[in-house]
Amino acid sequence: MTGAKKKKKSMLWGKMHTPQCEDIIQWCRRRLPILDWAPHYNLKENLLPDTVSGIMLAVQQVTQGLAFAVLSSVHPVFGLYGSLFPAIIYAIFGMGRHVATGTFALTSLISANAVERIVPQNIQNLTTQSNTSVLGLSDFEMQRIHVAVAVSFLGGVIQVAMFVLQLGSATFVVTEPVISAMTTGAATHVVTSQVKYLLGMKMPYISGPLGFFHIYAYVFENIKSVRLEALLLSLLSIVVLVLVKELNEQFKRKIKVVLPVDLVLIIAASFACYCTNMENTYGLEVVGRIPQGIPSPRAPPMNILSAVITEAFGVALVGYVASLALAQGSAKKFKYSIDDNQEFLAHGLSNIVSSFFFCIPSAAAMGRTAGLYSTGAKTQVACLISCIFVLIVIYAIGPLLYWLPMCVLASIIVVGLKGMLIQFRDLKKYWNVDKIDWGIWVSTYVFTICFAANVGLLFGVVCTIAIVIGRFPRAMTLSIKNMKEMEFKVKTEMDSENLQQVKIISINNPLVFLNAKKFYTDLMNIIQKENACNQPLDDTSKCEQNTLLNSLSNGNCNEEVSQSCPNEKCSLILDCSGFTFFDYSGVSMLVEVYMDCEGRSVDVLLAHCTTSLIKAMTYYGNLDSEKPIFFESVSAAISHIHSNKNLSKLSDHSEV
C-alpha cells in the first residue's frame, strides 16, 4: 500500500515538473504579448492610422524628451534616448495597446532630486570640459546622467522584483481619487519647474519640503529679473498651442489629419531665433548643441545605487501607478484586458534595459496616450513607428534644434499637461458621489504639493485604508461572501411559450475599492453562465448560494445544463439593501456593471437603494433616464418586469 502511494506520488510529481510544449507557448504569449497580437495584425485596416498616430506621437516624444531631460537636470539629448528605447521594450512586453511609454514628468522630477543632490550645479566649474567623453559632452554632464541612469536601473529592478512577488494584485489599494490627486499635484510641480524658463529667469535648483512655495517666493523676490521677451514669447506660444489644439479637437471628425502644431511651433520658433540671433540679442536661453548618434551601451554605475534608493522607489511606484491607470483606462475604453503583474515586468524591463543606453527613468504619459486616442491608433505599432522618426531626429535633425528657445519648449510642456491639470474638475464629481473621497483627493493633492509625488501617493493609500477600516465596523464582513443568488422563471399569461428569467442577487456588505473589482468579476461570471439555460421549469424554482467566495462552477440551480433557449430573456435585480456604505470605486463599478449588462441585453434593476446611492449613480453614470432603474423593493422590481413584458406583448398584438 505504501509502495503504491509512493508510485502514485512520483507520477504526479513527474507530471507537475514536465513542461509541455503548449505550456511553454502559453507562457511566452503571456510574458511576450507582442506574440499574441502581432501575428494577427491587419495591415490593410491598421497600418495607415498607426502610421499617422506614430508620426504625431514622434513629435510629442521629441519635444517632451528634450524638456523632461532638462527637468531631470541632465543634457537634453538623453531625453531623446529616453523617448526611443523604453517605447521599444514596452511594445514587446506591455499589454496596453494605446499606452505611449517614454520620458515622464513625474519620474524626471524624482530623479532630478538625486542628480542635484549628488552632482550639484556648483561643482560644474570644477569639472573638466573635455570632448573625450561620450558624444563630446563634458564630464559634468556625464556625471549627472550616470546618477539618473542609476535611478532608472534600480527603479526597474524594484519593479521586476514586485512582478516576481506578484504585487500587481495589490494595486487595488491605489484608488482613482488618489491617482487623480497625485498626478494633478505632480503636474502642478512640473508647471512650477518650468516657470523659470517661461519668465526667462536664472534660478537655483529648489527642492525639498515646501519647495513649491519657495520657488514662487523666489520669483516674486526677483520679479525685476524677468525677461520681457521670454515672457511674451511664452504667452504667444501658449495661446497658439491651446487655440490650435482646441480647434483640432473640435473638428477632428471632419479632418482626416490634425495639424501638428507642436512641430510647426518648434520649426517656426527655431527659425525665428536663428534669424534674429535671440540668444545673443535678447539673452534668451536655447536648447543648445544636440550631439548626433547613439553612444555604445554602458552598464549603470553600481557604486551609487545605495545613494539613490529613495528616488528609485519613488520612480518605481509613481511611474507604475500612473502608467497602470492609463493602461487600465485604454483597456476599458477599447474592451480588452491587461495583467497588472505583467505591467510591472514591462515597465521594469523598460527602465533596466534603457539604463544601459543613457536613458532617464521612463513611464507612460497621459498627454501622449491621449494623443494616440485622438489620432486613431490601433496597436503598439504606432509607438514603434514613432521610434523610427525619433531615430531620424537623433541622427539627422537633432543639431537643428540648437536654436529652439527654452521658453517655447516650456510652453509646449505646460500645455501638454492640460489633461492632468483639468483633473481639478473631478472635485465636483467626488463631492457628489462620495464626500470622503473628495476629502482624500484634496488631502493627497496638498501632500503632493507640499512634499513630493511619492509622499502624496503614500499618504493617499494610507489615508484610504485607514478610513475604510474606520468605517468598516458598520459592515458585516469585508469579503462578498454573503451574496445570495436567487433565480426563477415565470410563464406569463400573454406568452406561455417564452420564459422570463429573473436573477436576484443580494449583497449584505459594503462596496468599496477593496472588493469592487472582485464584485464585478464574479457578477460577470454569473451572467455569462446564462449562455447555457437550465432545464425549463413549469413553475418557480429557487436556489441560494455563496457564489462570490467559492468557485462559480456550481452556480446553476440544476446540475444538468441543457441547450441554450433562444426565446428566453434575462433580467438581473441587484438588492442593494446590504450596501451599508460605498465609495467612489464602488459606485463606478456598479455603473460599469449596468453598462456591460445593457451591452449583453440583460436588464438591470436596483432595489432598496438609498437616496445617496441613487444620487451618486445618477451623477456618475450616463444612465438611461427613459427606463426606470431604481425601485423601492425587490417585489416592485419584479412587478415592473412582468408589467413591462405584458405591455410589450400587447403592443405587438395591437400592431398585428
Side-chain angles (χ1 to χ4, degrees), residues 416-433:
L417 293 171
K418 175 188 172 185
M420 290 185 181
L421 294 173
I422 62 175
Q423 290 180 130
F424 278 110
R425 298 186 301 188
D426 292 345
L427 282 171
K428 182 180 179 181
K429 177 174 63 177
Y430 296 131
W431 179 264
N432 286 278
V433 174

Side-chain angles (χ1 to χ4, degrees), residues 229-486:
E229 298 83 3
L231 177 60
L232 293 176
L233 188 56
S234 300
L235 291 175
L236 178 62
S237 301
I238 291 174
V239 169
V240 171
L241 287 169
V242 171
L243 182 62
V244 176
K245 285 180 181 289
E246 288 296 326
L247 292 176
N248 282 339
E249 187 67 23
Q250 187 173 357
F251 297 102
K252 65 180 180 180
R253 295 182 179 179
K254 298 181 181 180
I255 55 178
K256 294 183 178 180
V257 181
V258 297
L259 177 65
V261 62
D262 294 355
L263 178 61
V264 173
L265 182 62
I266 289 173
I267 295 174
S270 300
F271 182 75
C273 183
Y274 172 77
C275 293
T276 59
N277 195 17
M278 291 184 183
E279 181 183 15
N280 298 320
T281 306
Y282 302 106
L284 288 184
E285 187 176 356
V286 296
V287 171
R289 187 180 75 88
I290 303 293
Q292 287 180 296
I294 299 175
S296 301
R298 181 182 298 181
M302 301 297 172
N303 58 327
I304 62 173
L305 293 183
S306 59
V308 299
I309 190 169
T310 303
E311 288 79 10
F313 266 103
V315 164
L317 296 178
V318 173
Y320 171 76
V321 168
S323 301
L324 181 64
L326 294 175
Q328 290 176 338
S330 67
K332 184 178 179 180
K333 183 180 180 67
F334 296 99
K335 306 298 181 184
Y336 61 89
S337 61
I338 62 169
D339 182 357
D340 296 351
N341 281 306
Q342 180 65 24
E343 291 298 293
F344 257 133
L345 177 64
H347 290 288
L349 292 178
S350 295
N351 279 315
I352 292 174
V353 176
S354 301
S355 65
F356 286 81
F357 295 90
F358 301 95
C359 296
I360 60 178
S362 64
M366 180 181 291
R368 296 194 299 266
T369 302
L372 289 180
Y373 290 170
S374 62
T375 53
K378 303 295 183 182
T379 64
Q380 277 289 325
V381 171
C383 295
L384 294 176
I385 291 175
S386 73
C387 293
I388 297 175
F389 289 94
V390 173
L391 269 176
I392 294 174
V393 172
I394 292 174
Y395 278 96
I397 305 177
L400 300 179
L401 298 174
Y402 178 98
W403 299 99
L404 176 62
M406 288 299 299
C407 60
V408 175
L409 190 59
S411 301
I412 294 174
I413 297 308
V414 170
V415 175
L417 293 171
K418 175 188 172 185
M420 290 185 181
L421 294 173
I422 62 175
Q423 290 180 130
F424 278 110
R425 298 186 301 188
D426 292 345
L427 282 171
K428 182 180 179 181
K429 177 174 63 177
Y430 296 131
W431 179 264
N432 286 278
V433 174
D434 186 14
K435 292 179 175 58
I436 292 181
D437 278 336
W438 181 89
I440 291 174
W441 196 103
V442 172
S443 58
T444 302
Y445 177 81
V446 170
F447 263 76
T448 303
I449 287 296
C450 294
F451 300 99
N454 50 348
V455 177
L457 177 63
L458 179 62
F459 170 82
V461 171
V462 172
C463 186
T464 303
I465 295 175
I467 288 176
V468 169
I469 292 174
R471 298 169 75 183
F472 216 77
R474 296 158 45 193
M476 294 176 59
T477 179
L478 177 63
S479 61
I480 311 180
K481 64 181 180 182
N482 295 325
M483 168 180 277
K484 295 181 179 180
E485 178 188 344
M486 182 171 63

Side-chain angles (χ1 to χ4, degrees), residues 432-655:
N432 286 278
V433 174
D434 186 14
K435 292 179 175 58
I436 292 181
D437 278 336
W438 181 89
I440 291 174
W441 196 103
V442 172
S443 58
T444 302
Y445 177 81
V446 170
F447 263 76
T448 303
I449 287 296
C450 294
F451 300 99
N454 50 348
V455 177
L457 177 63
L458 179 62
F459 170 82
V461 171
V462 172
C463 186
T464 303
I465 295 175
I467 288 176
V468 169
I469 292 174
R471 298 169 75 183
F472 216 77
R474 296 158 45 193
M476 294 176 59
T477 179
L478 177 63
S479 61
I480 311 180
K481 64 181 180 182
N482 295 325
M483 168 180 277
K484 295 181 179 180
E485 178 188 344
M486 182 171 63
E487 177 182 356
F488 58 88
K489 302 176 183 179
V490 180
K491 290 183 179 180
T492 60
E493 296 179 359
M494 299 300 301
D495 188 0
S496 60
E497 296 181 358
N498 287 3
L499 293 173
Q500 177 72 19
Q501 180 173 340
V502 179
K503 186 176 287 289
I504 303 173
I505 296 178
S506 176
I507 307 173
N508 298 319
N509 15 39
L511 189 61
V512 294
F513 71 95
L514 292 171
N515 55 13
K517 189 173 182 179
K518 191 170 193 318
F519 166 78
Y520 173 83
T521 302
D522 292 341
L523 197 58
M524 289 298 106
N525 287 338
I526 292 174
I527 295 171
Q528 286 175 359
K529 290 190 300 183
E530 302 308 323
N531 293 333
C533 297
N534 293 332
Q535 293 280 355
L537 304 177
D538 292 334
D539 298 315
T540 302
S541 67
K542 302 181 181 181
C543 65
E544 198 169 294
Q545 300 175 21
N546 292 338
T547 58
L548 286 191
L549 184 64
N550 303 316
S551 172
L552 292 170
S553 58
N554 298 323
N556 290 328
C557 294
N558 298 327
E559 294 292 337
E560 299 178 358
V561 179
S562 64
Q563 299 294 325
S564 65
C565 307
N567 294 328
E568 186 175 344
K569 295 183 179 179
C570 181
S571 296
L572 175 67
I573 299 177
L574 291 179
D575 183 2
C576 301
S577 58
F579 286 170
T580 51
F581 67 88
F582 54 87
D583 64 0
Y584 179 85
S585 299
V587 172
S588 64
M589 198 58 70
L590 268 180
V591 174
E592 188 173 348
V593 165
Y594 174 82
M595 296 297 183
D596 284 356
C597 289
E598 289 293 303
R600 299 169 186 262
S601 298
V602 177
D603 294 330
V604 179
L605 299 89
L606 282 78
H608 296 295
C609 296
T610 61
T611 304
S612 59
L613 180 61
I614 295 174
K615 179 182 176 182
M617 289 190 64
T618 304
Y619 184 85
Y620 178 88
N622 186 19
L623 304 179
D624 189 357
S625 59
E626 298 180 358
K627 185 167 60 175
I629 301 171
F630 306 102
F631 296 88
E632 294 181 355
S633 63
V634 174
S635 59
I638 295 174
S639 300
H640 170 77
I641 294 173
H642 291 177
S643 62
N644 190 46
K645 175 79 173 180
N646 293 334
L647 285 174
S648 63
K649 296 305 296 182
L650 283 172
S651 64
D652 291 342
H653 283 290
S654 63
E655 290 178 1

